[in-house]
Amino acid sequence: MGSTALTLYGQPHELLETDFFNIPSSDLQQDLDALVCNPPYTEGDALPHWYKERINTQLEKTTGLEISARSPLHAYFIYHSRAFLSPSDRAAFITPQSFLSRRYGESLKQFLLDNYAIKAFVQFNPESYCVFDNAETTALLTFLEAKPDSETGGETRFIRVDEKIESKTIRDAVENGEPGETEWGIINRVPQSELCPEKNWQALFDPVEIDTSHLPTLGTLLTIHRGPTTGEVNLFCLSQQEVDENNLDEYHLSRIVRKPSQIDGYDYQEADWKEARETGEEVWLLNPDQIPGVPNTIADFKQELSKAARREAPEGSVIRDGYSEVREYLREGVIEYGLSDTSTFSNRPYWYRPRRKDPTRVLVQNASRDQFKFILNETDIRHTSACYGFYDITLSETELKALLAYLNSHVFEEVVREYKQTRDGGFDKIEPDQLEQVPAIDPPKMSGETVNTLAGLFDELRQTTRKNDDCNPVLDRINVVLQQEL
Ligand SMILES: C[S@@+](CC[C@H](N)C(=O)[O-])C[C@H]1O[C@@H](n2cnc3c(N)ncnc32)[C@H](O)[C@@H]1O
C-alpha cells in the first residue's frame, strides 16, 4: 500500500519489506534528515503475545524506560524511530491522540521530553472534525526535533484544528502560530520544561482558565469505586421477564440500576426502578448465597454437567429443594454463554456471585458524549461496573448536595477537562482514581449560607429535570454562586 501511494503521487522510493523493529539504525546507507511516519494504529492487545513481549523488551532495553505492555503498536514505532535520528533531525508522526491522556502514554511522553524538542502537536478536534471518514479513531500530528539528552526544549505548540483547512495553514501554525483563537481552531504555547508526563496533555489544546490551585481534590472528601464486575452480564443481570421465566426467587437476587445512562435526571428513586422494571430493563442482579450442590468453580461445575450428560451422575443427584430453579438457571447459562474459569470468576469465594458492594449514595455516569453526571441515589439499589459510586463520604447530607451542585455544574465540566480522556467521536471517559484527583469545592470550609444555597440549587435542579423543564436557568445560578466562591 505504501508503494502504491508513493507511486500514485510520483515519488521515487525504495521499498523495504521487513519488520521495522528488525532494522537496526546501522543498516541505513545514508544519513537521514527527517522522518515522516504513519505507523499502524493497531492496539496492543491485538498483537500476538510473544511478539508484543519481544518488542516491549527490546524497546525497554534501548530506551531505559519502563514501557506499559498496553502500549499500541504506534508507540513502539515512535520509540524505535529515535535511533535513526541525530540532533536537529526532524520527525513527524500521525497517530491517535490517546497517548496524551492514557496511562501507557506516560513513558512515551517522558521519552519525547528527554529526546526531542517537541515543536508541536496538532489535534484534529474529535468533537467536530473527523479526519478518517470510515474509521472510529482520532488523529494527532506530532512534530519533533531530535535533541541531545542534556539540552532543554523550547516551547511546544498545542494546535487544535476544528475544521478542514489547507495543510499550509497547519505548517504555518506549527512554525509561527501565535497563541489564541483562530478562524479554524485554537493555538496554545507551553514551555516544554512545564510539561509533565503524568498530566493529561489533551487539555492543553484549550487550557482551563479556572484557578483551582486552592481547592482540595475530590478524593479528600470521599472515595470512588467502580461497581462490581459480573463477568457475564447476560447471566447475572436480568429483566423481570427473565426472572419470571426462570422462576427465580427474589431471595437470590438484588435490585440494581444497570446503566447510569438509563437515568434521566440527577436523582434515583424507587419509582424510577419500578418504571425500569415495567419497561423490561435489567433491574435484577443474580446475587445468591452459596447454593448447595453447585461447585465453587466453573471447571468443577462443568465437569459435573458433563458427567450428568453421560448419565454417570449417581442416582438421585438431582436435588429438589428451594434452589432447583437457580441451579438450573446456572446450568443453562454456563452452556449458553460458554463460560469458563476466568480470573473474574476464580477471584470470588464462589463463581456465581459477583463481589458484594453496598449501595452507594451517589452514582456516577463516568462515560459520556456530553457531561459526566453525578446522581443522588435515594434507594438501596446497587449498581454494576457500568458506573462508579461514592463511598466513605465525610460530608453531611446538605454538604453532599452542595458538592453535587458543583459536580454537575458547567464549572466542573470545565475543570474536569484536564483529567478526562476524549476518545473517538468525542466520547469522554475518566477512571475512578483520575476522578478522585479532580479539584472540588470543600463544603465544610465554606460558609453555611453558601452550602445551603448550593444544596437548595441542587434540589431545584433535580426537580426541574423531573418536570422536564429547562435546567439552564438553575445551572446558570449554580455557576454564579460557584464563581463567587472560586
Ligand atoms: C497506517 S499504515 C500506513 C501505510 C503507508 N504509510 C501508506 O501511506 O500507505 C501502517 C502500515 O504499517 C505496516 N506495519 C505494521 N507493522 C509493521 C512492522 N512491524 N514493521 C513495518 N511495517 C509495519 C502495516 O502493514 C501498514 O501498512
Side-chain angles (χ1 to χ4, degrees), residues 278-343:
E278 300 315 314
T279 51
E281 282 167 21
E282 293 157 334
V283 289
W284 295 105
L285 176 75
L286 184 67
N287 188 23
D289 286 334
Q290 213 147 5
I291 304 170
V294 178
N296 289 350
T297 69
I298 292 191
D300 290 347
F301 189 48
K302 276 180 153 173
Q303 208 175 12
E304 218 165 72
L305 286 182
S306 57
K307 268 194 204 160
R310 293 201 306 270
R311 299 187 188 286
E312 282 177 19
E315 279 287 305
S317 67
V318 179
I319 316 160
R320 287 273 149 222
D321 55 15
Y323 298 95
S324 331
E325 283 86 6
V326 68
R327 236 185 261 120
E328 189 50 34
Y329 178 72
L330 291 175
R331 278 195 195 107
E332 283 173 11
V334 164
I335 298 165
E336 183 173 352
Y337 306 116
L339 299 191
S340 56
D341 227 352
T342 58
S343 57

Side-chain angles (χ1 to χ4, degrees), residues 1-6 16-23 36-42 47 51 54-55 73 77 94:
M1 281 186 61
S3 182
T4 307
L6 290 165
L16 259 187
E17 271 181 283
T18 186
D19 187 327
F20 182 52
F21 303 107
N22 286 343
I23 313 176
V36 180
C37 186
N38 176 9
Y41 273 38
T42 318
L47 296 169
Y51 182 75
R54 200 193 82 195
I55 55 174
L73 193 48
F77 267 70
I94 180 164

Side-chain angles (χ1 to χ4, degrees), residues 252-295:
H252 305 302
L253 307 169
S254 291
R255 300 189 303 160
I256 47 159
V257 50
R258 178 71 185 89
K259 289 185 188 146
S261 54
Q262 289 167 348
I263 306 173
D264 281 338
Y266 293 92
D267 57 7
Y268 195 68
Q269 299 178 1
E270 284 296 324
D272 298 316
W273 183 83
K274 287 186 184 139
E275 193 185 319
R277 184 182 58 183
E278 300 315 314
T279 51
E281 282 167 21
E282 293 157 334
V283 289
W284 295 105
L285 176 75
L286 184 67
N287 188 23
D289 286 334
Q290 213 147 5
I291 304 170
V294 178

Side-chain angles (χ1 to χ4, degrees), residues 102-222:
R102 301 265 285 276
R103 284 277 145 75
Y104 83 83
E106 287 178 14
S107 59
L108 186 55
K109 287 185 276 187
Q110 184 66 60
F111 178 77
L112 296 182
L113 290 171
D114 292 345
N115 290 281
Y116 290 101
I118 308 173
K119 293 292 177 192
F121 290 110
V122 176
Q123 179 203 51
F124 297 97
N125 188 351
E127 284 171 27
S128 64
Y129 177 18
C130 184
V131 179
F132 304 110
D133 287 344
N134 48 7
E136 277 272 303
T137 188
T138 52
L140 175 83
L141 302 177
T142 301
F143 292 90
L144 306 168
E145 194 168 295
K147 70 168 182 68
D149 210 358
S150 50
E151 266 176 35
T152 49
E155 277 192 323
T156 302
R157 286 188 173 82
F158 288 80
I159 302 165
R160 194 188 73 202
V161 179
D162 294 337
E163 57 190 70
K164 199 171 166 102
I165 49 169
E166 300 268 310
S167 54
K168 183 177 177 313
T169 313
I170 299 182
R171 271 205 306 275
D172 289 346
V174 168
E175 282 172 11
N176 307 309
E178 289 297 322
E181 291 201 17
T182 67
E183 279 173 10
W184 44 262
I186 190 162
I187 303 175
N188 182 24
R189 279 198 321 222
V190 183
Q192 184 168 328
S193 55
E194 285 178 16
L195 293 174
C196 165
E198 289 83 29
K199 282 274 169 82
N200 175 1
W201 292 6
Q202 263 179 20
L204 296 170
F205 291 100
D206 184 6
V208 173
E209 277 166 12
I210 301 169
D211 179 14
T212 54
S213 54
H214 59 295
L215 295 181
T217 62
L218 190 53
T220 58
L221 306 172
L222 44 93

Side-chain angles (χ1 to χ4, degrees), residues 393-405:
I393 302 170
T394 58
L395 306 172
S396 70
E397 189 67 11
T398 313
E399 289 169 341
L400 179 63
K401 283 185 182 172
L403 180 69
L404 287 172

